[in-house]
Amino acid sequence: MSLPVNPLAESLSFNPLPVGHTPFSDRGKPTILMCPPTYFTVAYAINPWMQEAPPCDEVLAKRQWDALYQAITEKAGAHVELLTPEPGVPDLVFTANAAFVHNQTAVIAHYKHPERRPEEPICAQWFEQKGFKVVQMPDHIFFEGAGDALIWQDRVFAGYKTRTDIASHSLLTAATDLPVLSMELINDRYYHIDVCLCPLQDGHLIYSPDAFDEYGRAVIEANVPASKLIPVSPEEAARFACNAVNIGDTVIFNQGSSRLTDDLKARGFQVLSVDLSEFLKAGGSSKCLTLRIG
Ligand code: ARG
């Protein structure tokens, strides 16, 4: 039996899949998109971390980003593609938000805050040039890319309300064929799902119970076996322990979560911590600075 075509797909706009490109997923190494922090700073405040931030040390931020880049390429063995930094869009470094990427399709972010909207065409153009099918949300529906949509096994945990609209979730399914579990984010500090939940290899899932209501926690528990669930404390969550990059059996996150580090090591992961203090001032950490594209 073939499924009926999803009528929602008609409200999405997309370019046809270009031919002649080898997908990153066929190039032998995991591929991550990053953007050098040339113009990174905290220039406006669109989340509580930015509202409270002391001045950002941009020189230190560059050193911290380099350390993350090195951990990803040299220690975890991934290939990194670079987005060209541009002045006036300091949050472009947070490539996790650029798009949700699955099977050569990139569903481009449409930001709630006007401050980040100039990033949208920059990212759409990059994905188009690299041979992805580029999908764009309708103008009235906000969606903040892989910051708010994370693949776990065969499904997507997707956050809504603070930034992303729940209406984008069925469009995400229309664009990718992936089932989406919609999770309300109830805590302003954890305004994207990737700062409070992190799928890892082999079905593990790190999450911060406080970022979800009882109903959301029940959804997590109904989907992920208890033996694979890794809850973190509020202190660890505040150090962005859930904002981890997982490549193979390597997990990379901000420093300061030794209990979680031990737990992950006991589960067979190699754990690397990198000091990302300057990016925390903007409300992001290691995972936000990366996007898996192949
Ligand atoms: N300052 C950025 C914002 O508020 C930080 C984005 C962090 N990215 C993420 N994937 N959580 O939008």
Side-chain angles (χ1 to χ4, degrees):
M1 191 187 82
S2 67
L3 291 168
V5 174
N6 188 333
L8 288 170
E10 282 171 21
S11 54
L12 295 167
S13 64
F14 57 88
N15 71 318
L17 185 58
V19 287
H21 284 269
T22 307
F24 288 115
S25 49
D26 294 351
R27 297 185 194 183
K29 274 185 175 186
T31 306
I32 309 277
L33 178 66
M34 295 178 73
C35 175
T38 316
Y39 303 106
F40 170 72
T41 187
V42 179
Y44 46 75
I46 57 172
N47 65 51
W49 310 92
M50 297 175 113
Q51 274 149 18
E52 295 161 10
C56 175
D57 179 340
E58 289 86 10
V59 176
L60 179 57
K62 289 186 182 66
R63 282 212 299 275
Q64 294 178 339
W65 187 93
D66 286 347
L68 177 65
Y69 178 90
Q70 257 184 12
I72 290 174
T73 51
E74 287 164 28
K75 305 226 176 84
H79 166 70
V80 171
E81 284 283 311
L82 292 177
L83 192 61
T84 308
E86 287 196 20
V89 276
D91 279 338
L92 192 63
V93 285
F94 296 115
T95 51
N97 294 121
F100 175 84
V101 178
H102 177 66
N103 271 353
Q104 281 302 102
T105 295
V107 184
I108 304 296
H110 179 33
Y111 290 99
K112 176 158 187 162
H113 294 290
E115 289 87 341
R116 294 200 67 181
R117 283 191 208 139
E119 298 177 38
E120 295 170 15
I122 299 171
C123 296
Q125 198 189 22
W126 190 89
F127 282 103
E128 207 160 317
Q129 278 170 359
K130 295 291 175 175
F132 287 80
K133 176 178 170 184
V134 168
V135 179
Q136 262 153 337
M137 286 285 160
D139 210 37
H140 61 289
I141 297 181
F142 299 126
F143 170 68
E144 300 206 354
D148 259 335
L150 301 167
I151 299 178
W152 177 86
Q153 307 288 81
D154 58 352
R155 62 205 81 162
V156 179
F157 281 102
Y160 70 89
K161 206 164 179 183
T162 330
R163 296 291 185 88
T164 288
D165 288 322
I166 195 168
S168 67
H169 291 175
S170 46
L171 294 171
L172 196 58
T173 298
T176 63
D177 276 340
L178 290 167
V180 174
L181 299 163
S182 299
M183 312 284 296
E184 183 176 337
L185 304 178
I186 61 153
N187 182 332
D188 274 358
R189 292 195 164 269
Y190 303 106
Y191 58 94
H192 281 140
I193 200 166
D194 74 349
V195 292
C196 50
L197 183 140
C198 182
L200 302 176
Q201 175 169 280
D202 296 335
H204 290 93
L205 189 94
I206 306 175
Y207 78 115
S208 169
D210 293 346
F212 303 96
D213 63 8
E214 207 177 310
Y215 194 82
R217 289 194 293 270
V219 171
I220 293 172
E221 285 158 19
N223 279 273
V224 183
S227 62
K228 302 274 185 180
L229 263 184
I230 311 172
V232 303
S233 67
E235 295 74 29
E236 287 170 322
R239 286 192 290 275
F240 284 70
C242 299
N243 197 246
V245 182
N246 177 210
I247 300 162
D249 62 5
T250 303
V251 174
I252 308 169
F253 53 43
N254 181 45
Q255 63 180 20
S257 294
S258 54
R259 189 211 55 89
L260 179 62
T261 300
D262 292 344
D263 183 335
L264 292 172
K265 283 185 178 164
R267 292 168 193 266
F269 290 99
Q270 320 233 32
V271 182
L272 303 171
S273 18
V274 177
D275 181 7
L276 293 166
S277 63
E278 299 318 292
F279 297 98
L280 262 58
K281 293 175 183 173
S285 184
S286 53
K287 156 67 173 60
C288 302
L289 292 165
T290 65
L291 177 66
R292 183 80 181 250
I293 56 170

